[in-house]
Amino acid sequence: MLADPIAGAVYSTPAAAAADGVHAAADPYEHPHCLQRPAAGAVLVLAPGPTVPPEQAARVATSTAALLEVRGQRAAELRGEQMRLHTTLVRLLLAGHTAAVADTLGGSRLTHVTVYRLTGADVPTAHQVLWRAVGPSLAPHADACTLLGRLDGELVVAELHRGGDDGRVLRLVSRVSERHQLLAGMAGPLPLAEMPTAHSDAAAARHSATPDRRIVPADAVGTSRLAPLLPTAPYARWAGAVRRPLTPAHQHLLLVWLRTGSKPRAAAALGLSAGTVRARIRELSRLLRADLEDATVQAHLLLVLRAPASAEIPGGDGPGPPPPVWRLCRTASWTPRRSGPGPTAWSADWSRI
């Protein structure tokens, strides 16, 4: 059995022995009957039968490990070229060349992407370790494909699939992050054409990562628990009216800025200069007729950007100019109510929206 420290059992004969082999590699002193040899960054574990002479078992283990090392060296010679190809494909996706990448991977079966962005001092080593664990392949017409690229000193993992993944890459990224002390943000699944959005969202999420929580999904950043409590139809109408003058690019810029908490961090996530982000936010402040530096306005903006599309609500987006962002607190009248013992709840009168 060949055990990788991150991926677990890479190969096992018989397959049922994989779990025992992983346990033996993790704690060799508890399994003295097993022979172990380092091999190509993994551990070769052999469990000789009771009738096999120890000398013969040792020769088999040593020879097999040596052959694996030769194969590993050959793979390492090709790995640099493969890594450069992966990085190029990631850059093409970020530049919007979705069709070209899909053609390279064998067609349109891969429709969605989940993106991870990892940073830390040990990114180069983590890249090698994760590469071995994932075993990425560009085989055409596959149901999933994982791209690993190094961009501007960080590790970008783009998992392409058909709308849902089995969690394997997430588990491997989590183990590598813990082992190599990395911080990571995760975004998706999103349609493949929205790879740039997923890339920015993952960077925004990563700013909330800590040593106690090394991977943060984008959905966990900036999510308001108040939104599900608001009456859907009037809330969506108000949010839709505020969003009316905003393009999708405007909304994405605002969301990344609010998630990261600062203009320099938003600039890094979006690949823009801090001055450009400041200028665009000033322009949006004039467009929305609101002081976007005000904390209350920022909270309202998060509600606006998290609201369901008003087109999905009957009677949404009526005529007339958009209301100011800050009008939420004026249109909803909050009153206390009690329903038995316990803390006071609050309800809102949205009749004037």
Side-chain angles (χ1 to χ4, degrees), residues 86-220:
H86 275 235
T87 299
T88 298
L89 291 175
V90 171
R91 291 188 185 278
L92 286 172
L93 285 174
L94 291 174
H97 300 293
T98 307
V101 174
D103 289 343
T104 302
L105 300 178
S108 58
R109 292 169 61 89
L110 305 175
T111 59
H112 288 70
V113 63
T114 302
V115 176
Y116 305 84
R117 294 180 67 172
L118 300 87
T119 58
D122 208 15
V123 160
T125 304
H127 188 191
Q128 299 283 342
V129 171
L130 190 59
W131 183 278
R132 289 198 304 268
V134 172
S137 170
L138 300 181
H141 309 296
D143 289 334
C145 173
T146 303
L147 301 176
L148 296 91
R150 291 261 298 283
L151 282 76
D152 301 322
E154 68 177 25
L155 178 58
V156 177
V157 181
E159 183 184 8
L160 282 61
H161 46 75
R162 302 174 66 183
D165 59 78
D166 58 7
R168 173 175 173 266
V169 173
L170 173 59
R171 291 191 294 271
L172 295 177
V173 170
S174 177
R175 293 171 189 168
V176 168
S177 298
E178 288 292 339
R179 181 176 181 182
H180 295 276
Q181 307 295 299
L182 306 181
L183 300 179
M186 166 190 171
L190 288 178
L192 189 56
E194 298 182 28
M195 168 75 175
T197 298
H199 186 256
S200 297
D201 286 352
R206 188 188 60 220
H207 287 297
S208 297
T210 65
D212 294 327
R213 190 186 184 196
R214 293 195 173 275
I215 299 183
V216 175
D219 288 345

Side-chain angles (χ1 to χ4, degrees), residues 2-95:
L2 192 64
D4 182 88
I6 297 297
V10 176
Y11 176 81
S12 177
T13 302
D20 290 339
V22 170
H23 293 154
D27 194 354
Y29 295 105
E30 291 294 325
H31 302 80
H33 61 287
C34 292
L35 295 176
Q36 299 192 29
R37 299 288 189 276
V43 177
L44 176 67
V45 180
L46 278 76
T51 61
V52 178
E55 297 81 3
Q56 181 180 352
R59 284 196 298 271
V60 169
T62 302
S63 299
T64 303
L67 289 173
L68 289 172
E69 286 289 351
V70 172
R71 184 174 180 180
Q73 290 173 5
R74 176 57 180 159
E77 293 172 0
L78 300 174
R79 189 178 303 150
E81 181 179 344
Q82 293 172 341
M83 287 180 170
R84 287 190 292 273
L85 175 58
H86 275 235
T87 299
T88 298
L89 291 175
V90 171
R91 291 188 185 278
L92 286 172
L93 285 174
L94 291 174

Side-chain angles (χ1 to χ4, degrees), residues 269-280:
L270 293 166
L272 302 172
S273 69
T276 298
V277 170
R278 293 190 192 96
R280 293 183 182 179

